Amino acid sequence: MDQVPPTGDPLLIEHRTDRVVARLNRPDKRNAIDREMIDALHVLCAELEAAPRTLILTGAGEDFAAGADIAQLRARRAEDAHRGINAVAFIRIHDLPMPVIAALDGYALGGGAELAYAADIRIATTRLRIGNPEPNLGIMAAAGATWRLREIVGEGLASEMLLTGRSLDADEARAAGLISSIHSPEELMDAAHAIADRIAAADPLAVRHTKTALHAPRDAHPAIDGDLQAELFESPEKMQRMTEFLERNGRR
């Protein structure tokens, strides 16, 4: 990935018409997630909730995020745990209307891994190391790993990773379904934008409704699928796209 010089901003944000790229920006700390970065993520979420676009999350420098800021974690007490400072932000990321793509390089550990788990799509470089070493620091992974990781890779591997602190390399992560593809560091962002391009080519409402259905609990199906599809069946975009498809293929 490109080297990005540190600035005072915890997130470096690039706005495009159909997507936003946000770089975690503490490269001198391996992009450790501190309270300022969490606050910046909330501001970004508010923007994307109001004007939905695909989000690409990545890190400045050679790491995604090597964890949460240990100095801040050491100072936190019981009341901070109940507030779920990181968990609330990552839930908000997960619940954004449009897809979230995590482009991972280097370390994605602890809170950095939990932020990655909150994404819809994860891709990585050959340098990836992802996992949750929290018990080695006297705490647990409490910002989404105990439920999201199990849903992604299954209970057996999730239990091993969370109970032993084992991290996965890129090949192991892809084999487990934790990431979908592996790229060289130089090609990572091009690959992320290629995914965003495919999303941008689709009907935004259909993408949003598909994400809603994917995130719905099992007992909400098939009713939620019918409700969402009913809205799409009546949309002008559906009529236009299907008409164009039939005309391209010589059918009416």
Side-chain angles (χ1 to χ4, degrees), residues 71-93:
Q72 289 188 4
L73 278 179
R74 185 178 63 176
R76 291 181 184 173
R77 294 297 183 263
E79 60 270 22
D80 298 305
H82 286 296
R83 289 166 61 200
I85 295 168
N86 289 9
V88 170
F90 299 167
I91 289 170
R92 198 171 180 186
I93 293 270

Side-chain angles (χ1 to χ4, degrees), residues 15 20 22 25 38 40 57 72 82 88 104 190 213 221 224 237 243:
H15 294 87
V20 170
N25 187 42
I38 291 293
L57 279 173
Q72 289 188 4
H82 286 296
V88 170
L104 310 174
D190 286 342
H221 299 277
I224 190 171
E237 185 73 13
T243 299

Side-chain angles (χ1 to χ4, degrees), residues 118-141:
D120 299 292
I121 300 168
R122 288 167 295 279
I123 63 174
T125 74
T126 53
R127 301 187 295 209
L128 177 69
R129 298 294 301 189
I130 186 166
N132 294 90
E134 282 91 341
N136 295 322
L137 295 170
I139 59 173
M140 60 177 281

Side-chain angles (χ1 to χ4, degrees), residues 168-183:
L168 305 183
D169 63 23
D171 289 331
E172 292 170 322
R174 181 170 60 179
L178 187 51
I179 61 173
S180 57
S181 59
I182 302 173
H183 308 273

Side-chain angles (χ1 to χ4, degrees), residues 20 28 33 43 72 91 98 148 172 189 193 223-224 243:
V20 170
D28 55 324
I33 298 171
V43 172
Q72 289 188 4
I91 289 170
M98 289 291 282
R148 287 204 186 99
E172 292 170 322
M189 291 308 295
H193 281 294
I224 190 171
T243 299

Side-chain angles (χ1 to χ4, degrees), residues 205-206 208-233:
L205 184 61
R208 289 179 62 176
H209 280 4
T210 300
K211 176 168 178 173
T212 297
L214 278 167
H215 288 186
R218 177 63 185 86
D219 60 7
H221 299 277
I224 190 171
D225 304 87
D227 290 341
L228 295 169
Q229 188 77 296
E231 182 177 350
L232 292 170
F233 273 10

